[in-house]
Amino acid sequence: AQSVTQLGSHVSVSEGALVLLRCNYSSSVPPYLFWYVQYPNQGLQLLLKYTSAATLVKGINGFEAEFKKSETSFHLTKPSAHMSDAAEYFCAVSDPTGFQKLVFGTGTRLLVSP
Amino acid sequence: KAGVTQTPRYLIKTRGQQVTLSCSPISGHRSVSWYQQTPGQGLQFLFEYFSETQRNKGNFPGRFSGRQFSNSRSEMNVSTLELGDSALYLCASSLDRAETGNTIYFGEGSWLTVV
């Protein structure tokens, strides 16, 4: 079965610092991987997705993620954090039995201090 | 174009009652799926509908059900509500082009509180 592990339920950074949110996946087949962001009292917004076209994926708001098959990882990064990046971030993998079925990680709350 | 629309946004129900939540997908999207989000269990897949047929189902009791109409709009129903059903219920839609790892778009969610 597919699964996703997000290391760190909370990550704190200073404004302007590098953001690194970790995601490791388990999949029996080549996966489709996603990062979503959730702001308070809102739904999920897609940041980026990996669909095997390129290992380095660029998303919205300056985020990017690199797919590393050897490490089964899909970590999310942003060179310089902004206060507006404070939110909860979810990594997800498509279930091969149904591509509309996502298996989510437990989420990482990003805190950005001035 | 309009995103995924969910109604109502907030509702409070009493234990034992039933509730119906509604979802309008993005125009042209034929796949609609539902997720439950709670602090304890995180985001969990409930079910997915395509062309009025349930294609996938998560590990939830039979009290949770859904349906999809010919215009792709979907409803989910929870009967005999329990306190543990308090959650954010998210609806998502997609084009259903699996070979491209289609993007799944989420609505703002319906906040259900059971008292």
Side-chain angles (χ1 to χ4, degrees):
Chain A
Q2 321 301 99
S3 66
V4 172
T5 301
Q6 291 185 242
L7 290 175
S9 58
H10 292 79
V11 170
S12 296
V13 300
S14 299
E15 194 171 20
L18 171 72
V19 175
L20 170 61
L21 304 182
R22 300 179 185 275
C23 172
N24 289 88
Y25 69 90
S26 170
S27 176
S28 57
V29 298
Y32 293 141
L33 293 159
F34 305 80
W35 275 101
Y36 284 87
V37 61
Q38 186 176 36
Y39 298 100
N41 299 318
Q42 293 189 24
L44 300 174
Q45 180 182 7
L46 180 71
L47 281 175
L48 49 81
K49 66 178 182 180
Y50 167 75
T51 59
S52 77
T55 56
L56 183 62
V57 182
K58 294 187 183 299
I60 62 171
N61 301 340
F63 285 93
E64 63 181 37
E66 185 173 9
F67 173 73
K68 292 187 176 180
K69 184 178 179 180
S70 61
E71 299 176 7
T72 61
S73 68
F74 190 56
H75 301 331
L76 182 71
T77 60
K78 182 174 181 177
S80 177
H82 295 161
M83 296 294 291
S84 60
D85 294 327
E88 188 146 24
Y89 293 78
F90 293 92
C91 182
V93 63
S94 282
D95 188 300
T97 63
F99 291 99
Q100 282 68 34
K101 177 182 177 181
L102 295 177
V103 176
F104 284 91
T106 51
T108 297
R109 184 167 298 278
L110 177 65
L111 307 169
V112 183
S113 57
Chain B
K1 59 185 176 183
V4 179
T5 305
Q6 292 187 243
T7 56
R9 287 294 317 278
Y10 304 92
L11 67 166
I12 300 174
K13 291 287 187 178
T14 304
R15 272 183 301 174
Q17 288 186 315
Q18 74 166 12
V19 66
T20 299
L21 308 177
S22 180
C23 173
S24 293
I26 292 172
S27 178
H29 286 192
R30 297 171 63 193
S31 169
V32 174
S33 49
W34 290 86
Y35 292 79
Q36 182 196 63
Q37 184 177 22
T38 61
Q41 300 299 316
L43 281 153
Q44 292 186 288
F45 173 80
L46 279 158
F47 29 64
E48 184 229 345
Y49 288 86
F50 179 80
S51 291
E52 303 177 64
T53 300
Q54 187 181 89
R55 287 201 302 194
N56 259 301
K57 190 177 191 306
N59 189 27
F60 279 82
R63 300 185 297 108
F64 292 81
S65 63
R67 59 177 176 169
Q68 186 180 34
F69 303 96
S70 58
N71 61 359
S72 294
R73 192 177 68 83
S74 177
E75 290 180 347
M76 69 162 283
N77 184 78
V78 187
S79 63
T80 319
L81 284 166
E82 301 177 358
L83 295 179
D85 297 333
S86 296
L88 176 65
Y89 290 89
L90 291 164
C91 175
S93 75
S94 66
L95 280 169
D96 191 43
R97 291 176 183 168
E99 70 278 6
T100 62
N102 52 199
T103 298
I104 300 173
Y105 297 89
F106 285 82
E108 296 286 292
S110 292
W111 287 94
L112 171 64
T113 301
V114 182
V115 296

